[in-house]
Amino acid sequence: MIPFSILDLAPVTEGSDASHAFRNTLDLAQLAERLGYHRYWLAEHHNMPGIASAATAVLIGHVAGGTSTIRVGAGGIMLPNHAPLQVAEAFGTLASLHPGRIDLGLGRAPGTDQPTAKALRRYFDSADAFPQDVLELLGYFEPARPGQPVRAVPGAGIEVPVWLLGSSLFSAQLSAQLGLPFAFASHFAPDAMDEALALYRRDFRPSARLQQPYAMLGLNVVAADSDAEARRLFTTQQQSFINLRRGRPGLIPPPIDDIGSYWTPPEQLMVERALACAVVGAAGTVRDGIEAFIARHRPHELLLTANVFEHAARRQSFEIAAAVRNQLGARHGPVANRG
């Protein structure tokens, strides 16, 4: 059975604030550690009132400091928003504070809207330079050479696993060329998933960092005591997608009983396509859905996300998913090939 991990956006729900979101994030990470999840990732987004993980490296440090064994990392850092040296220094610092537990996932999107991307200063000048920026960043983690004019301190010579993230063939191809692990954003943009996985597996070149391809897939998993309750909880995520597409991103909304009254038919098609990689239901439904997803796509790892309004219900969802993983593990055998 493959490892399960968690992607968290530090959601800020209606009636709450960022401080409360951060307390929930740490609480969920501590629960994930107890439940045996492999890694806990946070993602960089900007100018989105319902997502509090903009200062991603800072929040990673908070979570890593409040846990002891689970891997903690970025899923991901949007590299065109940052100078590679600064990213290397930040994650070199995190890896020095928490040896053997820090991951760095890199994306090439801005993680925001165009005006905010412009306010971040770097994106429009460096998005096309993403491959070169990745290579520069990887170089800063290599041991410093005599006479090297610029080095990451800390960072040089520190082992920080670097992943590439993406929802297209571009990052799949670059991951394969550089011999890096690859995480596909199938939890919100699944259209190119099968083609990207096939390309990554076919063209992978072994590197000093990774000898064989290693692919992780994002999956929405919302679990509850009944299928009906899980579907109701999932309306929070559906509403959030609609609000974003309407140009009105806001705080994370509570679930509603009739999602059909909230969206138009075109919006329904858009949401159902974007969230096609979703397993929603009671434990048995979730078990069957996850098992079928793994059998079809053969990932090395799953990155679960659940945008659930009530923190207690979100905790329960991940508890059910962990129990499902244990059931599948008993059926299929022990975990192997962890990244």
Side-chain angles (χ1 to χ4, degrees), residues 69-111:
T69 58
I70 194 169
R71 299 194 65 87
V72 187
I77 293 294
M78 302 298 105
L79 186 56
N81 295 339
H82 309 276
L85 176 61
Q86 291 174 311
V87 176
E89 290 169 340
F91 279 79
T93 299
L94 288 167
S96 298
L97 290 168
H98 310 284
R101 295 181 55 211
I102 300 299
D103 297 326
L104 172 56
L106 302 172
R108 69 184 183 107

Side-chain angles (χ1 to χ4, degrees), residues 7-10 42-56 75-78 81-82 109-113 116 120 187-188 244:
L7 175 65
D8 182 17
L9 304 182
L42 296 137
E44 177 185 349
H45 291 272
H46 299 278
N47 196 33
M48 299 185 71
I51 297 177
S53 52
T56 316
I77 293 294
M78 302 298 105
N81 295 339
H82 309 276
T112 188
D113 55 81
T116 308
L120 290 167
H187 58 293
F188 73 88
L244 183 61

Side-chain angles (χ1 to χ4, degrees), residues 16-284:
S16 183
D17 58 23
S19 295
H20 194 72
F22 295 147
R23 289 194 294 271
N24 287 344
T25 282
L26 181 57
D27 179 72
L28 183 60
Q30 292 169 340
L31 175 67
E33 184 170 75
R34 293 194 298 271
L35 293 174
Y37 282 93
H38 184 38
R39 63 184 97 237
Y40 194 95
W41 278 8
L42 296 137
E44 177 185 349
H45 291 272
H46 299 278
N47 196 33
M48 299 185 71
I51 297 177
S53 52
T56 316
V58 176
L59 193 52
I60 288 170
H62 175 62
V63 171
T67 55
S68 57
T69 58
I70 194 169
R71 299 194 65 87
V72 187
I77 293 294
M78 302 298 105
L79 186 56
N81 295 339
H82 309 276
L85 176 61
Q86 291 174 311
V87 176
E89 290 169 340
F91 279 79
T93 299
L94 288 167
S96 298
L97 290 168
H98 310 284
R101 295 181 55 211
I102 300 299
D103 297 326
L104 172 56
L106 302 172
R108 69 184 183 107
T112 188
D113 55 81
Q114 290 188 0
T116 308
K118 186 176 181 180
L120 290 167
R121 296 292 191 269
R122 280 184 44 87
Y123 183 79
F124 287 105
D125 295 331
S126 58
D128 292 339
F130 181 71
Q132 291 74 28
D133 282 352
V134 171
L135 289 172
E136 180 182 344
L137 175 55
L138 292 173
Y140 287 130
F141 288 127
E142 296 297 321
R145 303 180 304 276
Q148 180 175 330
V150 179
R151 63 183 66 186
V153 183
I158 295 177
E159 183 177 351
V160 178
V162 175
W163 295 63
L164 294 191
L165 318 178
S167 58
S168 69
L169 304 186
F170 181 92
S171 292
Q173 185 175 36
L174 186 59
S175 299
Q177 290 175 348
L178 298 181
L180 297 175
F182 176 54
F184 190 85
S186 37
H187 58 293
F188 73 88
D191 286 354
M193 173 175 57
D194 291 332
E195 190 176 359
L197 284 175
L199 185 155
Y200 173 67
R201 289 163 174 156
R202 183 193 70 208
D203 295 347
F204 181 84
R205 301 175 185 174
S207 70
R209 286 180 168 268
L210 189 67
Q211 290 299 299
Q212 297 179 342
Y214 192 95
M216 178 162 60
L217 297 180
L219 182 64
N220 297 284
V221 175
V222 177
D225 291 333
S226 68
D227 286 356
E229 177 59 16
R231 287 193 296 268
R232 180 177 179 274
L233 295 177
F234 192 50
T235 63
T236 288
Q237 177 75 338
Q238 293 168 322
Q239 291 176 81
S240 295
F241 259 75
I242 294 167
N243 295 341
L244 183 61
R245 295 305 187 272
R246 290 175 178 174
R248 299 197 298 267
L251 301 180
I252 303 302
I256 55 178
D257 294 327
D258 182 15
I259 188 65
S261 65
Y262 194 82
W263 57 26
T264 65
E267 287 173 337
Q268 178 181 358
L269 291 174
M270 177 273 296
V271 171
E272 290 178 346
R273 181 172 179 174
L275 302 180
C277 291
V279 178
V280 180

